[in-house]
Amino acid sequence: MLILIAVITIYPANVTAPTIPMEQTQTLDLVKAKRDKVKPISRGAVESVERRVMICTAYTKSDFGMNGKGLTASGTHVLQGRTVAADRSIPFGTRISIPELGMTLTVEDRGAAIKGNRLDLYMDKREDALAFGVRELEVFIRREK
């Protein structure tokens, strides 16, 4: 057997129940509306990170196939520490981190020999590009969805 007990407050005829001022009532309604209609917090564009081991080389603006002016396939000017050439499967503007070099580069260029799993880092000096040689490096490709 279940017994329910209810407490009822009865006010005498000459006493009125406490009232909430109109401003507070509207505020409470807004708080309830916000509470009931919770929207997800936007964190900007969602990105995916892909880990790869890629063959990395270096190039300069005076190399064969470059125009000597340092203009990239995306229309920007090359900049050491920022510009990297990648395969067409990686869109322009994609950020590529190379932890071993302590760099994060932006895909701004393409190259005739840069196909598949290859990257070509831009360097100002030809000596530096030659000294860099060919390296197999772990990279993280950050793609926006």
Side-chain angles (χ1 to χ4, degrees):
M1 181 179 200
L2 182 65
I3 300 173
L4 296 174
I5 301 173
V7 178
I8 302 173
T9 305
I10 302 174
Y11 292 98
N14 60 351
V15 178
T16 59
T19 58
I20 299 173
M22 186 61 138
E23 307 84 41
Q24 288 182 358
T25 306
Q26 290 171 345
T27 304
L28 290 174
D29 290 342
L30 290 173
V31 170
K32 287 178 186 175
K34 286 182 181 178
R35 181 193 66 213
D36 295 340
K37 296 179 182 181
V38 176
K39 294 180 181 177
I41 297 173
S42 174
R43 301 273 186 227
V46 177
E47 64 178 28
S48 66
V49 178
E50 177 186 353
R51 180 196 165 276
R52 285 192 199 177
V53 175
M54 299 183 82
I55 298 168
C56 299
T57 53
Y59 73 104
T60 66
K61 62 183 171 185
S62 61
D63 286 353
F64 178 77
M66 285 297 292
N67 56 14
K69 296 177 184 177
L71 193 61
T72 66
S74 67
T76 62
H77 287 279
V78 290
L79 182 65
Q80 184 170 325
R82 183 191 72 197
T83 305
V84 65
D87 184 66
R88 291 185 186 282
S89 65
I90 303 174
F92 289 134
T94 301
R95 307 280 290 159
I96 298 180
S97 296
I98 307 174
E100 190 173 321
L101 301 178
M103 310 173 96
T104 298
L105 306 167
T106 304
V107 176
E108 297 179 328
D109 211 356
R110 302 286 184 225
I114 308 305
K115 302 289 182 209
N117 214 33
R118 298 184 69 94
L119 292 177
D120 209 6
L121 289 68
Y122 173 77
M123 295 190 176
D124 289 328
K125 298 179 183 173
R126 185 160 175 73
E127 303 82 46
D128 292 341
L130 291 172
F132 184 84
V134 178
R135 301 182 189 186
E136 200 170 75
L137 299 172
E138 177 186 48
V139 304
F140 294 91
I141 303 169
R142 289 179 166 73
R143 298 178 194 249
E144 287 189 14
K145 289 185 178 181

